Amino acid sequence: MKTKYTKLMMARVSGMTLSYFLTEAQVEVDGCIHTRYGAAVEIAGGERAELTDLYPARAPAEEFVSKLCRCLVTPVTLADVAYDELCSV
């Protein structure tokens, strides 16, 4: 199923422009369709990383994307930051 990307924020660091996206995807579990939210980080003209199935609700996913921007997370470190975030709950 197709993933929807909504750019929420941008930041500049060390000459790079980072874009932070909220992702929204439909996931099938036991024959039922559920909307799941995640995050993507992209360097303009370069790398991109995404994790599309992190949260069952939009609000915590938006808070996570905001945190990614505040901390200037890059595509390389997105998975580690998401792991730490989800383990801290």
Side-chain angles (χ1 to χ4, degrees):
M1 296 185 186
K2 194 164 185 145
T3 302
K4 177 182 172 187
Y5 299 89
T6 305
K7 187 187 291 189
L8 297 183
M9 297 164 201
M10 292 178 66
R12 291 205 32 90
V13 61
S14 301
M16 296 183 296
T17 300
L18 297 165
S19 297
Y20 298 91
F21 299 84
L22 174 73
T23 66
E24 182 178 338
Q26 304 296 313
V27 177
E28 184 177 346
V29 179
D30 295 331
C32 296
I33 302 296
H34 300 276
T35 301
R36 299 287 293 179
Y37 300 90
V41 180
E42 179 180 78
I43 297 172
E47 288 182 70
R48 178 185 183 95
E50 61 185 66
L51 298 168
T52 58
D53 188 2
L54 297 174
Y55 296 96
R58 184 180 182 106
E62 287 179 342
E63 289 175 28
F64 179 63
V65 172
S66 177
K67 185 177 200 176
L68 295 175
C69 184
R70 280 194 317 275
C71 297
L72 301 174
V73 172
T74 64
V76 172
T77 57
L78 175 62
D80 291 329
V81 172
Y83 178 82
D84 291 345
E85 181 75 14
L86 295 173
C87 288
S88 71
V89 176

